[in-house]
Amino acid sequence: MKIKPIHIIIMCFCAIHFVMAQNPTEDLKKAEANFLQNPENARNITLKILEKNLNDEQRLKALFILTNTSNLTGRLADAIKYGNEGLLLAQKEKETLTEIKLYLILGNVYQSIPLNEKTKDYLNRAEKLAITQKLPDSLRYIEGNIYYLKGM
């Protein structure tokens, strides 16, 4: 059988589609870039990505986005669910910055409910990690966020 140019084009499109379907990193970047402007869309994109076979780094990023978007859209039970799952993974992967951010979001969620003891616990954990890890100057705003929430 002689290979025609149309066969090559079709194989290229199939290969591109297969690679894009297997690599959720681009979709995660889109969701992360848009979660403040359109949290509902970012949440839907991320939920679809979460169904795929992800490595730990991708899964952690997806859980962080879902925690954030669930909080922004008022789905507090989902924010708690994804946040706690993300915390476990962040601790396992030693992703301290993500762990601090998740504690902050969860502290905010518990403050909204209001569960004051949980709020204090999560914000204290975030503060302790931020102090012991000595965040770089470019991330010092996170400590400010911790103290802001603790003062509310």
Side-chain angles (χ1 to χ4, degrees):
M1 180 168 121
K2 186 175 180 184
I3 297 179
K4 297 179 182 177
I6 190 73
H7 292 129
I8 294 172
I9 292 171
I10 291 172
M11 287 189 325
C12 287
F13 279 121
C14 289
I16 289 169
H17 176 73
F18 178 76
V19 168
M20 290 185 76
Q22 297 293 64
N23 187 359
T25 302
E26 288 303 313
D27 287 335
L28 280 171
K29 285 180 184 177
K30 285 181 195 173
E32 190 173 37
N34 292 320
F35 81 85
L36 287 176
Q37 293 84 10
N38 193 346
E40 193 65 45
N41 185 43
R43 184 177 187 280
N44 292 336
I45 291 170
T46 309
L47 282 170
K48 289 177 186 172
I49 294 168
L50 201 58
E51 295 172 1
K52 297 179 180 180
N53 188 17
L54 304 175
N55 64 34
D56 285 345
E57 180 184 349
Q58 293 167 330
R59 184 164 185 74
L60 182 57
K61 186 172 282 216
L63 290 169
F64 177 77
I65 293 169
L66 284 172
T67 303
N68 232 329
T69 57
S70 296
N71 184 33
L72 292 171
T73 58
R75 293 178 176 95
L76 302 182
D78 285 347
I80 292 168
K81 172 186 157 191
Y82 295 124
N84 284 320
E85 191 177 337
L87 276 174
L88 292 174
L89 188 55
Q91 291 164 352
K92 176 185 162 208
E93 294 298 311
K94 299 188 183 348
E95 287 287 337
T96 308
L97 183 58
T98 303
E99 187 178 352
I100 292 169
K101 289 179 180 180
L102 286 168
Y103 276 131
L104 269 169
I105 296 167
L106 289 170
N108 189 352
V109 168
Y110 286 124
Q111 195 171 43
S112 300
I113 294 177
L115 285 173
N116 292 332
E117 288 306 312
K118 279 277 201 187
T119 300
K120 288 178 189 173
D121 180 42
Y122 278 72
L123 293 177
N124 286 338
R125 290 181 190 194
E127 180 183 21
K128 182 179 177 185
L129 281 171
I131 290 170
T132 58
Q133 294 301 310
K134 298 188 180 173
L135 298 175
D137 289 342
S138 62
L139 297 175
R140 299 281 296 177
Y141 71 90
I142 293 173
E143 285 183 41
N145 290 349
I146 294 167
Y147 296 126
Y148 173 77
L149 284 173
K150 286 181 95 172
M152 290 181 73

